[in-house]
Amino acid sequence: MSSSSTQLSALRGMGIYEPFHQLSSWGDPFRGDGSLNIGSSTIVQVDSGLNNKTEYVSQDSMEPSRSDQEANKPADKVLRRLAQNREAARRSRLRKKAYVQQLESSRLKLVQLEQELERVRQQGVYISIAPDSSHLGLPGTLNSGITTFEIEYGHWIEEQHKQVSELRNALQARITDIELRILVENGLNHYNNLFRMKADAAKADVFYLISGKWRTSVERFFQWIGGFRPSELLSVLISQLEPLTDQQLVDVCNLRQSSQQAEDALSQGIDKLQQTLAQSIAADITSGGSYRAQMAAAIEKLEALEGFVNQADHLRQQTLQQMSRILTTRQAARGLLALGEYFHRLRALSSLWAARPREPA
């Protein structure tokens, strides 16, 4: 036996020959030039396997994409919800900030008002001493009700200036009647606040209110029982509201006539009160009558004076309301504008009068 046969027998005995035999049956994997010797069937199988693998991989790679899209849908909803929550929280913070600022502004105004009241109390701006009683050494008493009225009336004048400016701008801008009606109602309510303030001041000191010390000198020239005479203001307003319809003219004339009748009745009542008071004080002056009893009776009569002031303000209030009903919304706005300008010019005339140059004595 040759050496090669002996080696093959040895390989078979070791179980190694068969694989090498199979490998040889596939053919030499290398060509003579050293390149791979791969058959067409082998290439097809490999390509098919690669294609299957490619399809499997592409499907696997696409499946996560779909799941990502499905997962993104609730994620987008969450993001939108978070954005809406952030926007709502931002608006809530802005509203809270505005509310806090408004509270702080109101607190500062209240503190300022309290400081003004305290300063007025310390300075004693209003002291209710009769002119002919100072020589008697009577102590002056500070009337807090009048002090409060003076401060409130100063704020009332400032607010009236703002409302007059708003009415003027609104009429020039030709806003709707609904918006204009709101400004008219605000103007009427502003005068109602003045009448409420005056009622409180009348309780504190009715003579202070009737004397007109809270008004300028020119305004006091037109004073009538603590305020303006309604019939005179109607005459002023009519010229500013033309043209009026025939029915409006009739209604305004009737209103002015009824106002004049009420004014005459109140004026006669005031005159009667003065006569009665003078007679009560003059009675038994030389006969040595009871001084205390006479003063007590006079005070009881003077208490009716507060009622006259309240009735006069009620007449003024009713005249303004009736006038607003007769006029259209735009006419009522023009009327309030004219009324505010009228009072403003009276105050300006007072300032000019006080500042006028005077001839040296």
Side-chain angles (χ1 to χ4, degrees):
M1 179 180 297
S2 63
S3 59
S4 59
S5 300
T6 304
Q7 290 176 356
L8 288 173
S9 299
L11 290 172
R12 289 191 185 99
M14 296 175 62
I16 302 176
Y17 175 76
E18 292 298 332
F20 276 92
H21 176 71
Q22 293 176 1
L23 181 61
S24 64
S25 66
W26 292 345
D28 188 2
F30 294 94
R31 296 192 182 98
D33 57 0
S35 62
L36 285 172
N37 185 14
I38 301 175
S40 60
S41 61
T42 305
I43 293 177
V44 172
Q45 292 176 0
V46 172
D47 290 343
S48 177
L50 288 176
N51 289 336
N52 293 337
K53 186 176 180 180
T54 303
E55 292 175 0
Y56 177 78
V57 171
S58 63
Q59 290 176 358
D60 289 345
S61 62
M62 290 175 65
E63 284 299 321
S65 177
R66 294 194 188 98
S67 62
D68 289 343
Q69 291 177 357
E70 294 176 357
N72 286 338
K73 290 181 180 179
D76 292 339
K77 292 181 179 180
V78 172
L79 291 177
R80 287 196 299 269
R81 181 67 58 83
L82 291 176
Q84 292 174 357
N85 291 342
R86 284 194 297 268
E87 180 64 18
R90 185 184 69 83
R91 293 179 179 178
S92 178
R93 287 194 299 270
L94 291 176
R95 287 194 298 267
K96 182 178 180 181
K97 183 178 179 181
Y99 179 71
V100 171
Q101 290 177 349
Q102 183 179 3
L103 289 178
E104 182 64 18
S105 177
S106 300
R107 187 187 68 82
L108 292 176
K109 289 181 179 180
L110 180 60
V111 171
Q112 183 182 4
L113 180 60
E114 291 175 350
Q115 291 176 350
E116 291 179 359
L117 287 173
E118 185 63 25
R119 184 170 61 254
V120 170
R121 290 190 185 99
Q122 294 176 358
Q123 295 175 353
V125 172
Y126 179 76
I127 300 178
S128 59
I129 300 179
D132 58 347
S133 64
S134 58
H135 66 282
L136 299 176
L138 296 177
T141 57
L142 179 65
N143 194 323
S144 60
I146 297 303
T147 302
T148 302
F149 171 77
E150 289 178 343
I151 295 175
E152 290 181 344
Y153 183 67
H155 295 323
W156 188 90
I157 293 295
E158 295 177 359
E159 181 63 24
Q160 189 187 39
H161 288 166
K162 295 179 182 179
Q163 290 190 359
V164 168
S165 178
E166 289 179 355
L167 282 172
R168 184 184 299 107
N169 295 334
L171 289 172
Q172 292 176 354
R174 306 292 296 181
I175 64 175
T176 63
D177 287 349
I178 296 177
E179 295 173 314
L180 202 58
R181 170 55 60 180
I182 295 175
L183 295 179
V184 171
E185 293 295 333
N186 290 338
L188 293 176
N189 290 333
H190 191 56
Y191 281 100
N192 292 338
N193 290 334
L194 176 61
F195 299 139
R196 176 191 55 77
M197 291 159 46
K198 290 175 64 179
D200 294 337
K203 294 178 182 179
D205 189 349
V206 67
F207 286 103
Y208 165 85
L209 197 64
I210 289 183
S211 66
K213 292 180 180 179
W214 50 285
R215 307 183 76 179
T216 60
S217 57
V218 177
E219 288 178 304
R220 288 197 296 269
F221 180 69
F222 296 96
Q223 184 88 351
W224 175 78
I225 314 181
F228 57 84
R229 190 181 289 269
S231 60
E232 292 180 355
L233 287 183
L234 287 176
S235 300
V236 172
L237 292 179
I238 289 176
S239 61
Q240 302 296 323
L241 300 176
E242 294 178 350
L244 297 174
T245 64
D246 294 340
Q247 184 60 47
Q248 285 178 327
L249 287 174
V250 171
D251 293 338
V252 171
C253 290
N254 291 335
L255 179 60
R256 182 168 53 184
Q257 183 178 1
S258 61
S259 296
Q260 289 176 340
Q261 293 175 354
E263 291 168 10
D264 293 341
L266 288 175
S267 298
Q268 292 175 6
I270 290 288
D271 294 340
K272 183 65 175 178
L273 177 62
Q274 290 176 341
Q275 295 176 3
T276 304
L277 183 62
Q279 294 173 0
S280 176
I281 294 175
D284 301 328
I285 289 180
T286 58
S287 61
S290 174
Y291 177 79
R292 291 182 178 274
Q294 289 178 344
M295 292 299 102
I299 290 177
E300 289 181 359
K301 290 180 174 61
L302 285 177
E303 289 177 350
L305 192 58
E306 181 181 344
F308 280 104
V309 173
N310 291 334
Q311 291 180 45
D313 275 346
H314 181 70
L315 176 60
R316 286 183 271 264
Q317 185 179 22
Q318 290 297 315
T319 302
L320 286 176
Q321 292 178 354
Q322 290 293 334
M323 193 67 179
S324 66
R325 296 188 184 99
I326 295 172
L327 303 175
T328 64
T329 300
R330 197 160 295 274
Q331 287 174 333
R334 288 166 50 197
L336 286 175
L337 175 60
L339 192 62
E341 288 287 356
Y342 177 73
F343 289 131
H344 175 70
R345 293 185 181 187
L346 290 180
R347 290 189 290 267
L349 182 58
S350 296
S351 299
L352 294 174
W353 172 258
R356 73 189 188 284
R358 295 178 175 84
E359 295 291 335

